[in-house]
Amino acid sequence: MKHNVSFAGQQVRLDFPDELEQTVDFLFGRLPTGPDSGRAQRITIKAGSQSGFDMLREGALLAQGLPRRELANPLMGEVIHALIENQSEGLSLHAAAVSSGDRAVWLPGRSGSGKSTLTAWLLSRGFDYLGDELVHAHLKNNGFESFLRPLNIKNSALAAVEELLDIEQTHPRMLRSSSATMIPHTEFSAASGRDNTGLSLIIFPEFSAESALGLEPLSPARAALLLMNSYVNARNLENHGFPEIAALVKKVPAFKLIYGHFDQLDGTLDEIIRLILEHGASGSELSRWLKIIDRQAQYRPPPITTATPAPAPIPQASPAGTRKKLTIGMATYDDYDGVYFSVQAIRLYHPEVLDETEILVIDNHPDGPCAEALKNLDKWVKHYRYIPNQQLNGTAVRDYVFREANADYVMCIDSHVMIQAGAIRKLIDYFDEHPRCSDLLQGPMLRDDASSVETHFKPEWRGGMYGVWETDPRGEDPHGEPFEIPMQGLALFACRKSAWPGFNPAFRGFGGEEGYIHEKFRAAGHKALCLPFLRWLHRFARPMGVPYVNVWEDRIRNYLIGFTELGLNTVPVEQHFSELLNPEVVDRTKQELALDEPGPFDFFDAIYCINLDQASQRWSQMLERFGTLGIVHRIQRFSAIETPDNHHIGCALSHRAIIDQAARRGFRNVLVFEDDAIFHRDTLSNLEASLNELEGEEWSWLYLGGVEWRKPTPVPGKVHLQKPQRMTCTHAIAYNREYFRTLLDELPETREAMQSWVDKHLAIDQYLARRPESAYATRPTLVIQTNHSRVAGAAPDEEFLP
Amino acid sequence: MISLQQVFARNNNYQLEEIDDELLLYNPAHTRTIYLNPSAAAIWKLCDGHTTAQAIITALQDVYPDAGNIAADIADALNQLHEFGAITVSDGE
């Protein structure tokens, strides 16, 4: 069957099996269909090959095997995405909308901000429903359209919404998935989503459990700033529609609503909205109305706040295909052109290997401007896989390429490298002919004249790099025999997937990998070889600038860590950077690393600290505490996933994301702190003792601290380890590799699914507390929380550092 | 760090929207919008390529005589504007 969905001049054509007719009508039946435009984006749902439904867009597979009850949300999301993707005729924003008479109110906010729930409350107070997700303001006639879809309520809020709207009887017609429920909008006095309703007020809702009611008038400039956060088609408009946003907020009043419970809104919010709608007010007028004081010009510190348009939806990873002989992997950051030409050059000049080869692109900026185009290459390029990556960056991404590779041989290239015709065929043949080869294979870099070559790096320091280009005459003949090299630039290298030794987990950002990885192969008994046929061309010049930052301190740090790991003398590193930059930078980095002082925290492959972006003071305090332990250099800050409605959701998602990173990078374990951790005065010696006792034990996770609801039980023969009994909190916990997969399978990845999971398990610490089989805790407790220092089970405060 | 004798100039790549006495700066290349409250907007306007940090502080102290010691606030604002690329800095004459 076929159904068109039209919105604000854009159209999507849906093709679907007959059995989904009711579902499609439920989701999109109130939206205009419009005449067939011929330019409609095409989304196809078909019965999956095994079970459930597959969803495709323009023929490219988006999702496989979706159960019927889980289909609605992804389908709705994809339709909305398709409708705004090329929208350039007005401003599309994430916002709910309600109306009263011919006047409308917008409630902007990104997905998950609670705008649907507040919309339900407004409906219960007599407002008409226009939509809960997307509005589109026309530039020419000041009108707007709202995407009239079923009201989409998270399951955790469903009971409250049902009570508000008195709609229990509509249960049979609701569409319920594991995370959210869609309520038919025919239940409300829904006005048309496309009428003459004029925008009269903008409310930015901010729900925070237990918070007091707050109505903060927003000046037009501040309203514009907030609106930019919800703005979804900015990239399609000239100057990103900035002047139009500014023009809009000058005409429409706005305020921020902070609330902790619906009861606070009764008789206040509804009355204020009606007052404004009835009397009308400009942004400036409303601002003056609601200001209680400050008629005199008054100095305020000059805070400078910023906003960026809502990021584009992150494209889904391409499904992995059948296993190939060779993966050609590359990571990219906003370099579509580089990837395009690298990939298409492989197809044009190496057709003989395409059926044996997978092309893997790791996108390090999947909500950036190139993501969609990079993903779309999978529609055209056979055996191309796109993987969005938001967590890893710098040198470490190459580890990720190897882990994701779906082939026995892996060639990793920069996303702006082209390979001489015939060379990939010869590389595969080389691997085939040398089945025991675990060497690092590289080739000569062609200079821009495309004839002269640089075969390797001479191990010397120059300009902040270890390695200076050099040519070995043996590499000038492409038919020459392989020969050993000391090192070479890593814009192209290959080895067996199983032979990849990986980078040191403590590496940060860019730099320090050349020479290090070559030495690591040699340390494992293998070689670094130049294969003269494996010639490649590298784009160096970036006249338009590089969209990421190289940090000197990261580079120095990586060299020092790498050299130390390999037992090499670090003095040349220090001398070079002292001369190039200044000795203070080197000393500071060395001090951070404390390389000469191995400690118990070396046991952990990675150490993360979860911190909210706005909690900068907490972060500063944590850095001081880590500094006291001498582990600042080991700490990777993890930007906490924020879920104001229920912080347990964000907490569990943050822990899951860290475990996911650890799994992707092949870590043996990972230690996670939250940013309210306080350390025992003897943390180092006690931790060392605990870890010594942990050696040889099977363990799932290790608490360095927690709230003891039951007394931990002793472990025979152990003094510094104990078995936790109902221990909660996750402010200091290490996870073992053996349990990464279990946890990743148990903890859902998306906010919506995690919401349901939290409904069932309450929180990640509660979940872990119920699975104590292989868990251990240090004895004594080494880490407590700033606000839990006196709870039962925690040691007295004086034993802990400030 | 800002020194008192440095002078600042506005980056002309930023678009400007002045609404009442507040400013929004927007650089299409960065897709970032910067909001300046009236005090910050005044600082921005004084970044004319000639006025030193010291002179900006003096000017704002004249406008807000009761505000106390505002030098640190102004230095922070100049630093932030500089980090965002909204102003350029030079050592003055």
Side-chain angles (χ1 to χ4, degrees), chain A residues 269-290:
Chain A
L269 181 65
D270 45 350
E271 293 303 323
I272 287 171
I273 293 175
R274 289 192 197 284
L275 189 69
I276 294 169
L277 295 189
E278 282 168 21
H279 294 281
S282 69
S284 305
E285 284 165 349
L286 177 68
S287 210
R288 283 197 290 275
W289 277 12
L290 296 179

Side-chain angles (χ1 to χ4, degrees), chain A residues 650-670:
Chain A
C651 177
L653 286 169
S654 298
H655 277 258
R656 188 195 189 280
I658 290 170
I659 294 166
D660 187 39
Q661 284 187 37
R664 286 169 196 263
R665 296 186 65 183
F667 293 159
R668 292 166 301 174
N669 55 52
V670 61

Side-chain angles (χ1 to χ4, degrees), chain A residues 111-337:
Chain A
S111 296
S113 61
K115 51 187 187 301
S116 296
T117 314
L118 184 61
T119 301
W121 182 85
L122 287 165
L123 300 182
S124 75
R125 295 301 178 269
F127 289 88
D128 290 335
Y129 180 66
L130 297 179
D132 71 345
E133 178 62 9
L134 180 70
V135 295
H136 180 83
H138 298 285
L139 299 179
K140 290 173 187 161
N141 59 9
N142 289 334
F144 81 93
E145 293 177 46
S146 184
F147 191 78
L148 185 55
R149 69 169 193 179
L151 186 62
N152 195 15
I153 299 292
K154 290 175 187 167
N155 287 342
S156 56
L158 185 61
V161 168
E162 284 178 338
E163 192 181 330
L164 275 175
L165 296 174
D166 191 20
I167 50 171
E168 285 88 348
Q169 74 283 5
T170 62
H171 266 209
R173 286 184 290 126
M174 292 182 188
L175 203 54
R176 184 162 187 159
S177 73
S178 58
S179 58
T181 297
M182 289 195 177
I183 302 172
H185 35 42
T186 47
E187 296 305 315
F188 322 120
S189 50
S192 163
R194 184 191 180 110
D195 61 12
N196 295 321
T197 309
L199 176 63
S200 299
L201 177 64
I202 304 173
I203 303 172
F204 294 90
E206 189 176 303
F207 173 82
S208 178
E210 308 304 323
S211 73
L213 178 68
L215 289 173
E216 183 185 349
L218 294 171
S219 65
R222 289 189 62 210
L225 188 78
L226 291 177
L227 220 44
M228 291 298 280
N229 282 326
S230 303
Y231 186 14
V232 290
N233 69 327
R235 60 196 165 144
N236 298 338
L237 296 166
E238 190 178 352
N239 294 323
H240 290 179
F242 174 62
E244 288 78 12
I245 288 274
L248 179 74
V249 296
K250 285 178 189 169
K251 292 182 287 191
V252 182
F255 62 82
K256 185 193 269 190
L257 165 72
I258 302 158
Y259 70 106
H261 196 276
F262 283 150
D263 291 347
Q264 298 164 330
L265 307 180
D266 284 326
T268 51
L269 181 65
D270 45 350
E271 293 303 323
I272 287 171
I273 293 175
R274 289 192 197 284
L275 189 69
I276 294 169
L277 295 189
E278 282 168 21
H279 294 281
S282 69
S284 305
E285 284 165 349
L286 177 68
S287 210
R288 283 197 290 275
W289 277 12
L290 296 179
K291 272 182 187 167
I292 298 167
I293 53 170
D294 288 357
R295 287 200 157 269
Q296 300 296 317
Q298 189 176 45
Y299 171 76
R300 292 175 192 282
I304 294 170
T305 47
T306 65
T308 50
I314 293 172
Q316 295 197 358
S318 314
T322 52
R323 194 167 179 85
K324 303 292 178 197
K325 270 194 171 176
L326 174 72
T327 290
I328 301 176
M330 64 191 86
T332 180
Y333 191 106
D334 287 355
D335 184 15
Y336 175 75
D337 291 350

Side-chain angles (χ1 to χ4, degrees), chain A residues 219-222 224-225 228 234 239-244 246-247 249-250 283-284 288 297-309, chain B residues 15-20 22-26 28 30-37 39-40 43 64 67 70 73-74 76-78 80-81 84:
Chain A
S219 65
R222 289 189 62 210
L225 188 78
M228 291 298 280
N239 294 323
H240 290 179
F242 174 62
E244 288 78 12
V249 296
K250 285 178 189 169
S284 305
R288 283 197 290 275
Q298 189 176 45
Y299 171 76
R300 292 175 192 282
I304 294 170
T305 47
T306 65
T308 50
Chain B
Q15 291 185 39
L16 183 69
E17 281 288 338
E18 185 160 9
I19 310 177
D20 298 335
E22 297 168 315
L23 279 181
L24 289 169
L25 307 177
Y26 184 75
H30 298 150
T31 69
R32 178 192 290 133
T33 306
I34 303 175
Y35 162 80
L36 307 182
N37 77 356
S39 313
I43 295 170
Y64 304 110
I70 58 177
D73 290 342
I74 293 169
D76 281 349
L78 288 168
Q80 284 187 65
L81 288 168
F84 291 138

Side-chain angles (χ1 to χ4, degrees), chain A residues 2 4-6 9-13 32-40:
Chain A
K2 185 197 106 172
N4 286 344
V5 181
S6 294
Q10 300 288 310
Q11 190 176 61
V12 169
R13 173 184 161 148
T33 55
D36 284 339
S37 69
R39 292 181 294 112

Side-chain angles (χ1 to χ4, degrees), chain A residues 468-516:
Chain A
V468 178
W469 292 107
E470 197 171 47
T471 305
D472 186 316
R474 290 176 291 177
E476 289 176 345
D477 176 7
H479 305 294
E481 289 296 311
F483 58 93
E484 280 198 59
I485 50 173
M487 54 200 285
Q488 168 68 311
L490 287 178
L492 180 148
F493 63 95
C495 71
R496 278 196 150 72
K497 177 170 174 161
S498 57
W500 177 244
F503 292 108
N504 190 303
F507 274 16
R508 189 160 65 195
F510 294 92
E513 63 267 46
E514 282 97 355
Y516 162 82

